C-alpha cells in the first residue's frame, strides 16, 4: 500500500521531546518554542514569529488582529481549506469569494479589485501548493485601498516570492505544522507578525488577554488581564518535535523537491500529448514541493483514475469542494463575479503520494500505474 501521506520523522524528535520532559517544562513558550520562533524569524527574515496551536488558530489570531467590525468583508478564494474562511467568520466578517487562476489555483489578482467595496477590510492570499500568489499586485491593491493582507501560508513554509519568504510579505502570515504539512508538530502552526506595532497586541491575544510576555521580559512587575484574548500556545512537547525538523529543513525540502521533479519529468509526456495538465510555477516563485497535483480532463476521468490506483494499492486524493457552494459558504458569503475556473478546475485536480522519505521504488510504481491508466 502506498499512502498518500506519512508524517515527517527525521530522527531527533524523540530525543528533543525527552529533553523537554527533563526540563520540567512542558507547557508553552519554553526552550523549544523559543528555538522554533527564532529559527523561523532568522531563516525567513521575519519581524516576529510566534508558534500557535494550529494553522487555523494562527489565522484566527491574524483575523482578530485586523479588528474587523460587524458587516466588514474579507476577500478570499473559494478554492481553499475551510480554516481560511472560518477564521474570518469567527472575527465577524462577511466572506467575498474571488475566482482562482487555472494555472496556479491561487486567487486571480486581476479579479480582486472588482470585489472591493467600502466594507472590505482584509484580502487573504492563500499560497496553494506552496506556490506564491501574485503578491506585488495584491499588496499594491491593498495599500491603495487601505486594506490589510493576510497570507495563508499554511502550505508555503520555505517557499519564496521574488526572493522573499512567503508569510512575511503581507501584514500577517500564517503557517501550519499539521502532520500533513512539510514540517510537522502533529497539530500546530505559527503566525508571522510583519508590522511591529501589532506585536504586543498579538502577544496579549495569544496569552489569554494578559501581558505575561512583557512580564517575562521584565518590562512590567506584575502581569494582569489587559484585553480580549485566547490561548494559542502549543505545548513544548509539540515544539520539540518541530524543532528537530526545522534543524534539517533543507534536507526535508530537497527530498520533497526531488520527488516533485521526478513526477513532473515523468508526466511531461502526458501533458505534451494533451492527456493531463501539470501545475505551473510562475517566474519569481520558488516553491517547497508541498504537493504534487495534476489535472485530468474531466471529473469522470479523475474518479476512474483514483479507483484504478486504489485497486493497485496507491492512495490518491482530491480536495476542496469550493467553499462558496458548501452550506457554510452559502450562509456566510457570496461569490464576486463569475465562477469561471474555481468549480470546473477543482473537479479535475488530483494529488499524488508526496511525503518526506517516499522511496524511489514507490515513486516509480505510482508513475508506472498512472502511465498505464493513460495507456502509455
Ligand atoms: C492546512 C491548512 C490550514 C489549516 O492548518 P491546520 O494546522 O490544520 O489548522 C489552513 N489553510 C490551508 C490552505 C491549509 O492547507
Amino acid at each position: 500500500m502506498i499512502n498518500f501521506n506519512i508524517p515527517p520523522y527525521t530522527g531527533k524528535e524523540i530525543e528533543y521531546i525527552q529533553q523537554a520532559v527533563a526540563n520540567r517544562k512542558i507547557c508553552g513558550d519554553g526552550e523549544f518554542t523559543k528555538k522554533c520562533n527564532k529559527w523561523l524569524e532568522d531563516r525567513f527574515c521575519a519581524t516576529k514569529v510566534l508558534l500557535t496551536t494550529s494553522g487555523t488558530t494562527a489565522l484566527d489570531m491574524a483575523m482578530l488582529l485586523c479588528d474587523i467590525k460587524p458587516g466588514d468583508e474579507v476577500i478570499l478564494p473559494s478554492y481553499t481549506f475551510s480554516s481560511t474562511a472560518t477564521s474570518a467568520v469567527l472575527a465577524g466578517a462577511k466572506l467575498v469569494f474571488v475566482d482562482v487562476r487555472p494555472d496556479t489555483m491561487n486567487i486571480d489578482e486581476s479579479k480582486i479589485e472588482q470585489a472591493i467595496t467600502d466594507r472590505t477590510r482584509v484580502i487573504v492570499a492563500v499560497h496553494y501548493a506552496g506556490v506564491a500568489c501574485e503578491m506585488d499586485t495584491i499588496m499594491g491593491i491593498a495599500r491603495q485601498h487601505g486594506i490589510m493582507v493576510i497570507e495563508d501560508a499554511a502550505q508555503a513554509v520555505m517557499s519564496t516570492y521574488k526572493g522573499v519568504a512567503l508569510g512575511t510579505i503581507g501584514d500577517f502570515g500564517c503557517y501550519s505544522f499539521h502532520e500533513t504539512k512539510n514540517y510537522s508538530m502533529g497539530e500546530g502552526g505559527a503566525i508571522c507578525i510583519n508590522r511591529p506595532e501589532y506585536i504586543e497586541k498579538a502577544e496579549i491575544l495569544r496569552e489569554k488577554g494578559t501581558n505575561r510576555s512583557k512580564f517575562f521580559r521584565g518590562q512590567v512587575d506584575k502581569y494582569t488581564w489587559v484585553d480580549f484574548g485566547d490561548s494559542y500556545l502549543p505545548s513544548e512537547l509539540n515544539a520539540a518535535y518541530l524543532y528537530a525538523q526545522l534543524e534539517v529543513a533543507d534536507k526535508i525540502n530537497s527530498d520533497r523537491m526531488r520527488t516533485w521533479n521526478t513526477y513532473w519529468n515523468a508526466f511531461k509526456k502526458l501533458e505534451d500529448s494533451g492527456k493531463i495538465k501539470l501545475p505551473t510555477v510562475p517566474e519569481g516563485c520558488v516553491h517547497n514541493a508541498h504537493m504534487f497535483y495534476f489535472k485530468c480532463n474531466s471529473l469522470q476521468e479523475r474518479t476512474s483514475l483514483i479507483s484504478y490506483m486504489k485497486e493497485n494499492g496507491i492512495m490518491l486524493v482530491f480536495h476542496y469542494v469550493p467553499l462558496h457552494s458548501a452550506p457554510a459558504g452559502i450562509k456566510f458569503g457570496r461569490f464576486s463575479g463569475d465562477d469561471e475556473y474555481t468549480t470546473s478546475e477543482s473537479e479535475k485536480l488530483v494529488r499524488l503520494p508526496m511525503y518526506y522519505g517516499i522511496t524511489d521504488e514507490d515513486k516509480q510504481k505510482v508513475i508506472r500505474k498512472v502511465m498505464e491508466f493513460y495507456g502509455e
Side-chain angles (χ1 to χ4, degrees):
M1 181 64 146
I2 302 177
N3 284 315
F4 167 69
N5 178 60
I6 294 177
Y9 181 78
T10 56
K12 283 212 161 164
E13 286 85 347
I14 302 284
E15 186 189 322
Y16 287 176
I17 290 172
Q18 274 173 342
Q19 265 183 42
V21 173
N23 287 347
R24 293 283 186 274
K25 172 89 181 168
I26 57 169
C27 69
D29 282 350
E31 179 195 338
F32 285 105
T33 302
K34 286 189 185 124
K35 279 182 165 166
C36 290
N37 292 344
K38 183 160 187 332
W39 190 96
L40 294 162
E41 282 167 6
D42 291 350
R43 180 67 190 238
F44 302 150
C45 299
T47 305
K48 185 79 185 171
V49 180
L50 296 169
L51 285 194
T52 59
T53 48
S54 67
T56 306
T57 53
L59 285 163
D60 289 349
M61 275 186 74
M63 283 292 175
L64 291 169
L65 288 167
C66 287
D67 197 23
I68 287 161
K69 302 278 186 300
D72 283 352
E73 295 174 349
V74 169
I75 290 176
L76 74 166
S78 169
Y79 186 70
T80 181
F81 192 56
S82 61
S83 304
T84 319
T86 206
S87 62
V89 171
L90 183 73
K94 287 202 176 116
L95 308 175
V96 178
F97 296 110
V98 167
D99 208 7
V100 290
R101 293 164 44 150
D103 60 345
T104 57
M105 300 304 277
N106 282 335
I107 191 165
D108 186 336
E109 67 280 0
S110 72
K111 293 177 178 170
I112 291 176
E113 210 136 29
Q114 70 194 36
I116 293 174
T117 70
D118 52 9
R119 299 310 306 263
T120 308
R121 187 87 188 114
V122 180
I123 299 169
V124 191
V126 182
H127 305 301
Y128 182 70
V131 176
C133 296
E134 192 37 59
M135 289 310 288
D136 280 350
T137 309
I138 293 172
M139 294 310 291
I141 294 169
R143 293 298 172 249
Q144 190 191 333
H145 293 269
I147 297 169
M148 306 278 277
V149 173
I150 296 175
E151 293 178 75
D152 182 340
Q155 304 177 3
V157 178
M158 294 279 277
S159 297
T160 58
Y161 172 79
K162 301 188 180 173
V164 182
L166 296 188
T168 69
I169 302 168
D171 297 290
F172 303 106
C174 303
Y175 298 135
S176 168
F177 300 115
H178 185 258
E179 76 164 34
T180 52
K181 301 303 199 293
N182 294 23
Y183 309 92
S184 182
M185 54 199 278
E187 297 280 354
I191 179 170
C192 293
I193 300 134
N194 302 326
R195 285 170 57 174
E197 66 270 32
Y198 283 93
I199 294 173
E200 194 179 331
K201 217 176 151 190
E203 287 174 339
I204 292 167
L205 177 60
R206 181 169 168 272
E207 273 270 28
K208 304 96 183 167
T210 71
N211 57 357
R212 208 164 154 200
S213 298
K214 257 186 149 169
F215 170 72
F216 282 129
R217 284 195 296 266
Q219 293 166 320
V220 288
D221 297 339
K222 267 191 286 217
Y223 79 84
T224 183
W225 181 36
V226 290
D227 206 342
F228 169 81
D230 208 327
S231 179
Y232 298 119
L233 281 70
S235 156
E236 273 288 285
L237 302 175
N238 300 46
Y241 192 100
L242 178 65
Y243 190 63
Q245 297 182 13
L246 294 181
E247 279 188 325
V248 292
D250 291 302
K251 188 175 156 197
I252 294 178
N253 194 56
S254 49
D255 180 81
R256 298 185 73 106
M257 285 306 295
R258 245 188 332 269
T259 300
W260 199 95
N261 288 324
T262 302
Y263 281 149
W264 206 92
N265 293 330
F267 298 133
K268 187 77 184 72
K269 201 172 148 201
L270 292 180
E271 175 166 77
D272 291 343
S273 54
K275 289 179 172 158
I276 63 165
K277 191 94 191 66
L278 288 171
T280 306
V281 180
E283 219 184 297
C285 302
V286 175
H287 74 110
N288 60 353
H290 171 62
M291 77 170 84
F292 191 91
Y293 71 85
F294 63 72
K295 289 180 192 153
C296 302
N297 278 321
S298 68
L299 175 58
Q300 293 91 315
E301 187 183 295
R302 181 178 78 177
T303 309
S304 348
L305 172 64
I306 292 174
S307 59
Y308 179 79
M309 297 296 276
K310 198 172 170 194
E311 284 160 25
N312 285 285
I314 301 167
M315 295 302 296
L316 304 192
V317 302
F318 63 87
H319 62 172
Y320 304 157
V321 172
L323 297 181
H324 73 282
S325 57
I330 295 165
K331 188 163 149 195
F332 297 118
R334 64 179 166 83
F335 201 95
S336 160
D338 295 328
D339 171 7
E340 216 178 320
Y341 297 113
T342 299
T343 302
S344 58
E345 293 294 306
S346 70
E347 289 177 346
K348 298 185 229 164
L349 188 144
V350 66
R351 301 171 61 185
L352 304 194
M354 161 63 88
Y355 51 85
Y356 171 71
I358 185 171
T359 63
D360 287 338
E361 195 186 328
D362 283 353
K363 274 177 245 181
Q364 291 309 324
K365 185 175 173 195
V366 172
I367 292 167
R368 211 164 50 240
K369 291 295 161 191
V370 170
M371 289 299 192
E372 238 172 68
F373 176 83
Y374 282 103
E376 294 277 343

